[in-house]
Amino acid sequence: MAHDTHIQVRSQAEFEYAKKKRADEMKGHLATFAIMIFLTLIAFTMVAAGFSTYLIVPIILLLAGIQVILQLYYFMHMSGKGHGMVAFFMFCGMFVAFITVLALVTIVWW
């Protein structure tokens, strides 16, 4: 029937385990968020300090790549169980795209 609902009752041990797991996950999210804010501050500081464009651009691209990986891994839950193959193909695709862009940029600039 459509109105039948199943209520799942958890034991105290299951409740405590889930609570600890969520707290650990939240600590990871906050730590990752703090790292990304720090990386952003590094980029803004480099631009505000007036460093050479030839120095700033590669470092900002590197910091952006690190932030993309952190966001995929932690905020998009790629670190969770069962996402190993998806993460493998995604990171391999990103690596191939990076190598392709690097090769094209090298050909054009040289």
Side-chain angles (χ1 to χ4, degrees), residues 22-97:
R22 284 191 301 266
D24 289 341
E25 186 174 315
M26 182 58 72
K27 286 178 188 176
H29 283 284
L30 287 175
T32 304
F33 181 71
I35 290 170
M36 288 191 288
I37 292 295
F38 180 69
L39 293 176
T40 303
L41 288 175
I42 290 172
F44 278 122
T45 304
M46 288 181 62
V47 172
F51 288 124
S52 170
T53 306
Y54 295 109
L55 176 69
I56 292 175
V57 172
I59 292 177
I60 287 179
L61 289 175
L62 177 69
L63 295 175
I66 292 170
Q67 285 191 0
V68 165
I69 291 171
L70 286 174
Q71 285 185 8
L72 283 174
Y73 196 71
Y74 285 103
F75 292 116
M76 300 305 283
H77 303 287
M78 295 299 290
S79 62
K81 197 173 192 180
H83 291 104
M85 191 58 69
V86 174
F88 173 73
F89 281 115
M90 187 179 304
F91 290 130
C92 284
M94 288 168 45
F95 178 72
V96 168

